[in-house]
């Protein structure tokens, strides 16, 4: 499964962005999907995830109430809606897929290339 994240960019504090994750030539309906991010000099951080079977959603503490993970009805695309962006949200964002009902990094089977998000004050 080849994943592609898109939608990153450079924005001002308080702005919104929506990241998308798609898979080449297939839908993502049988995969749990997660978003992670990594800022320079920092460890990779879990951002949000959605399980394949129940569509349960999970969020990292730093983004709760500001970010929303969702799928299209056909589950071909997974989104990360990011609102009220802060400078500390600046990072490369990655989407990842798991064949299991998990959203943790250790459970991911496939990783996409990241998309840069830069938030300036």
């Amino acid at each position: 499964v080849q994943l592609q994240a898109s939608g990153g960019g450079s924005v001002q504090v308080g702005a919104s962005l929506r990241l998308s994750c798609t898979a080449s030539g297939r839908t993502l309906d049988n995969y749990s999907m997660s978003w992670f991010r990594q800022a320079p000099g920092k460890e990779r951080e879990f951002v949000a995830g959605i399980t394949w079977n129940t569509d349960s959603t999970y969020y990292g503490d730093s983004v709760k109430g500001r970010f929303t993970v969702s799928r299209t009805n056909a589950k071909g695309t997974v989104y990360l809606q990011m609102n009220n962006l802060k400078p500390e949200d600046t990072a490369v964002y990655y989407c990842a897929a798991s064949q299991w009902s998990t959203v943790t990094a250790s459970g991911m089977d496939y990783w996409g290339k990241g998309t840069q998000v830069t938030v300036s004050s």
Side-chain angles (χ1 to χ4, degrees), residues 3-25:
L3 301 174
Q4 179 64 55
S6 61
S10 296
V11 297
Q12 297 290 316
V13 169
S16 297
L17 280 174
R18 189 176 76 165
L19 304 184
S20 301
C21 180
T22 56
S24 298

Side-chain angles (χ1 to χ4, degrees), residues 22-80:
T22 56
S24 298
R26 64 190 303 163
T27 63
L28 297 169
D29 51 329
N30 290 326
Y31 294 91
S32 297
M33 300 298 298
S34 290
W35 290 93
F36 299 86
R37 68 187 182 186
Q38 188 164 22
K42 294 189 177 181
E43 293 186 354
R44 182 177 58 198
E45 177 187 13
F46 170 75
V47 176
I50 183 167
T51 58
W52 72 268
N53 51 343
T54 61
D55 281 346
S56 298
T57 57
Y58 302 87
Y59 298 93
D61 289 341
S62 61
V63 307
K64 283 180 182 176
R66 299 188 298 122
F67 291 12
T68 303
V69 60
S70 63
R71 300 177 183 266
T72 57
N73 287 339
K75 297 186 177 181
T77 303
V78 178
Y79 299 105
L80 182 67

Side-chain angles (χ1 to χ4, degrees), residues 59-121:
Y59 298 93
D61 289 341
S62 61
V63 307
K64 283 180 182 176
R66 299 188 298 122
F67 291 12
T68 303
V69 60
S70 63
R71 300 177 183 266
T72 57
N73 287 339
K75 297 186 177 181
T77 303
V78 178
Y79 299 105
L80 182 67
Q81 178 67 43
M82 305 187 295
N83 297 329
N84 190 24
L85 283 162
K86 303 176 180 181
E88 51 265 41
D89 295 319
T90 296
V92 177
Y93 284 72
Y94 300 88
C95 62
S98 172
Q99 301 174 73
W100 309 100
S101 183
T102 180
V103 297
T104 62
S106 61
M108 296 296 115
D109 298 302
Y110 307 100
W111 293 80
K113 295 181 180 179
T115 184
Q116 176 71 46
V117 172
T118 302
V119 184
S120 56
S121 56

